Amino acid sequence: MISISREEILGFEKRFRGTFVNSLSGVKSANLIATKSAAGNSNLAIFSSVIHLGASPPLLGFIMRPVTVDRHTYQNIKETLSFTVNHISYDFIKQAHGTSARYSKEVSEFDACGFTETHSEFYAPFVKESALRIACKLSEDIEIKSNNTRLITGHIEKVELKEAALLPDGYVDLSVLGTAGISALDGYHKIEKAKRFKYAKPHKKVVDLNGRNESES
Amino acid sequence: MISISREEILGFEKRFRGTFVNSLSGVKSANLIATKSAAGNSNLAIFSSVIHLGASPPLLGFIMRPVTVDRHTYQNIKETLSFTVNHISYDFIKQAHGTSARYSKEVSEFDACGFTETHSEFYAPFVKESALRIACKLSEDIEIKSNNTRLITGHIEKVELKEAALLPDGYVDLSVLGTAGISALDGYHKIEKAKRFKYAKPHKKVVDLNGRNESES
């Protein structure tokens, strides 16, 4: 094991530091957030910070970097309150990574990176290629004072997903969806089938949820 | 594809809903957060919500469920400002899952679940079995009003990791660490080697970071 102090991290070359610190939390979710400006321009951007916040009411969140420069996703959500979260499949990680480039506001990353918009009763578009898509309505926009990032929270209004991935107990199998994971800024992982355990109780052995993934209800 | 509305989600049986909504964000990081009360009782708990917040200063965060019941991790952090984040290896997912059981405050999950404490200049203990460990100092405790959860943010004070996992550009290879991922409430994934891409530029093809994982600097 090696040990790295805060002072050493602060002294790292900027890109090395960014890559290193972005690695530390572990594997991250891989999503495309789609929005549309009030003027009608669609936007699509990759986010590795989408997290579960609660089931009742269904709520999720993601981190927005400091809005000291133009952030199209942020501007569109503030204008329209509407956004969609779309799982990135391992099959299209290359195109998804392309949405991280700094396109100008008039350019739709759907067109530039090869994705297809679908429309519904929600203002923000969905990504047709995604195997799980969530329509959200802005709930809160919370400033994190330590570094001027923001936690954006959204109420889940609708979920569209590949039916075969939804198991009888409500578990969504990411390996059936084909959903990818992210590490650091540029690493993409294929997600294999999970090993599941039963609800843990104090001083009892942890028990495998044997075969439940496949057959039991 | 199937479509599920907010009303349908709210109408789901409680455990089904919890499992379903917890699945939606995609793959989640797998960490054990270790703390010690002011009275000296160690605590260890599994969290799937640790996220990167920023590299400069190095900052991370995690979600704490509503503190309407006793939350030992929360109480200890508020008392001592100190906590550590320890990657869960796929090798010990079963023991790590066991820390989610509701042990009473006097019981150390280190002992109950088979983990070893190590001590340093930081108040909170580390998990010896973990291949990447982060010492943190509480930065902010932010209430998310939509559902009374909290975002706890921490300054990264020190990182200990398996040296072989740190690549020449600062990237930490999760597959070398053996770090796991989580889906929903009880699914654990082995994380394989990532495919990495170069920094994306507008209207240019996304390029593989060929072999850089292994050899280039």
Side-chain angles (χ1 to χ4, degrees):
Chain A
M1 302 286 279
I2 51 169
S3 179
I4 300 170
S5 71
R6 179 178 180 83
E7 291 65 36
E8 286 172 298
I9 295 170
L10 291 170
F12 284 157
E13 181 275 324
K14 192 178 172 216
R15 284 178 66 172
F16 185 99
R17 182 176 60 236
T19 301
F20 178 71
V21 182
N22 266 280
S23 300
L24 298 178
S25 58
V27 69
K28 304 189 265 196
S29 61
N31 288 288
L32 289 166
I33 295 187
T35 55
K36 191 166 65 175
S37 68
N41 290 316
S42 295
N43 190 273
L44 191 62
I46 189 166
F47 281 81
S48 61
S49 61
V50 174
I51 47 170
H52 171 79
L53 291 178
S56 192
L59 193 77
L60 56 71
F62 67 94
I63 302 298
M64 179 66 64
R65 295 175 65 196
V67 291
T68 45
V69 300
D70 266 13
R71 303 267 178 218
H72 305 156
T73 300
Y74 183 72
Q75 292 164 354
N76 293 348
I77 293 174
K78 295 295 273 189
E79 281 177 14
T80 69
L81 309 182
S82 181
F83 63 100
T84 70
V85 173
N86 305 269
H87 279 207
I88 295 172
S89 298
Y90 192 78
D91 289 346
F92 57 74
I93 52 175
K94 200 169 210 172
Q95 294 94 305
H97 186 71
T99 66
S100 63
R102 291 186 181 278
Y103 285 98
S104 57
K105 182 141 189 167
E106 319 73 66
V107 176
S108 163
E109 291 85 358
F110 278 97
D111 300 334
C113 302
F115 292 102
T116 314
E117 292 185 40
T118 66
H119 295 277
S120 66
E121 69 272 35
F122 298 99
Y123 189 77
F126 288 105
V127 177
K128 189 181 177 193
E129 289 77 6
S130 175
L132 190 152
R133 319 186 266 249
I134 311 165
C136 295
K137 187 179 168 191
L138 176 64
S139 177
E140 290 176 78
D141 170 14
I142 302 168
E143 191 188 355
I144 301 168
K145 293 193 175 61
S146 311
N147 68 349
N148 299 313
T149 54
R150 313 185 80 84
L151 173 65
I152 309 296
T153 73
H155 287 296
I156 295 174
E157 299 289 321
K158 185 185 177 184
V159 179
E160 297 179 349
L161 79 160
K162 194 173 168 180
E163 188 164 12
L166 179 59
L167 303 191
D169 69 347
Y171 179 87
V172 179
D173 190 328
L174 300 179
S175 71
V176 173
L177 291 177
T179 299
I182 292 179
S183 53
L185 294 161
D186 58 17
Y188 293 84
H189 300 266
K190 195 166 194 305
I191 301 298
E192 306 287 353
K193 203 163 198 71
K195 186 169 180 61
R196 297 181 66 195
F197 298 117
K198 287 193 178 168
Y199 189 83
K201 293 185 178 167
H203 307 295
K204 301 276 185 195
K205 270 193 108 152
V206 171
V207 179
D208 292 12
L209 199 61
N210 283 323
R212 186 154 174 187
N213 284 7
E214 279 76 39
S215 55
E216 294 177 37
S217 70
Chain B
M1 302 286 279
I2 51 169
S3 178
I4 300 170
S5 70
R6 177 177 180 84
E7 291 64 37
E8 288 172 298
I9 295 171
L10 291 169
F12 284 157
E13 181 275 324
K14 193 178 171 216
R15 284 178 66 172
F16 185 99
R17 181 176 60 236
T19 301
F20 177 71
V21 183
N22 266 280
S23 301
L24 298 178
S25 57
V27 69
K28 304 189 264 196
S29 62
N31 288 286
L32 290 166
I33 295 188
T35 54
K36 191 165 66 174
S37 69
N41 289 316
S42 295
N43 189 272
L44 191 61
I46 188 166
F47 281 82
S48 62
S49 60
V50 175
I51 47 168
H52 170 79
L53 291 179
S56 193
L59 193 79
L60 55 70
F62 66 94
I63 302 299
M64 178 67 64
R65 295 175 62 197
V67 291
T68 45
V69 300
D70 266 13
R71 302 269 179 216
H72 304 156
T73 300
Y74 183 72
Q75 292 163 354
N76 293 349
I77 293 174
K78 295 296 273 189
E79 281 178 14
T80 69
L81 310 183
S82 182
F83 63 101
T84 69
V85 172
N86 305 268
H87 279 206
I88 295 172
S89 298
Y90 192 78
D91 289 346
F92 58 74
I93 52 175
K94 200 169 211 174
Q95 295 95 302
H97 187 70
T99 67
S100 63
R102 290 186 182 279
Y103 286 97
S104 57
K105 182 141 188 166
E106 319 75 65
V107 176
S108 163
E109 291 85 358
F110 279 97
D111 301 334
C113 303
F115 291 102
T116 314
E117 292 185 38
T118 66
H119 295 278
S120 66
E121 69 272 33
F122 297 99
Y123 189 77
F126 287 105
V127 177
K128 189 182 176 191
E129 289 77 5
S130 175
L132 190 151
R133 317 186 267 252
I134 311 166
C136 295
K137 186 179 169 191
L138 176 63
S139 177
E140 291 177 76
D141 170 14
I142 301 167
E143 190 188 354
I144 300 168
K145 293 192 174 63
S146 311
N147 67 349
N148 298 312
T149 54
R150 312 185 80 82
L151 172 65
I152 309 296
T153 71
H155 287 295
I156 295 175
E157 298 290 323
K158 186 185 175 183
V159 179
E160 297 178 351
L161 79 159
K162 193 173 170 181
E163 188 164 11
L166 179 58
L167 303 192
D169 68 347
Y171 179 87
V172 179
D173 189 328
L174 300 178
S175 70
V176 173
L177 292 176
T179 299
I182 292 179
S183 53
L185 294 161
D186 58 18
Y188 294 84
H189 300 267
K190 194 166 195 304
I191 301 297
E192 306 287 352
K193 203 163 199 70
K195 186 169 181 60
R196 296 182 66 196
F197 298 116
K198 288 193 179 167
Y199 188 85
K201 293 186 178 164
H203 306 296
K204 302 275 184 195
K205 270 193 111 154
V206 171
V207 179
D208 291 13
L209 200 61
N210 282 323
R212 185 155 175 186
N213 284 7
E214 278 76 40
S215 56
E216 294 177 39
S217 69

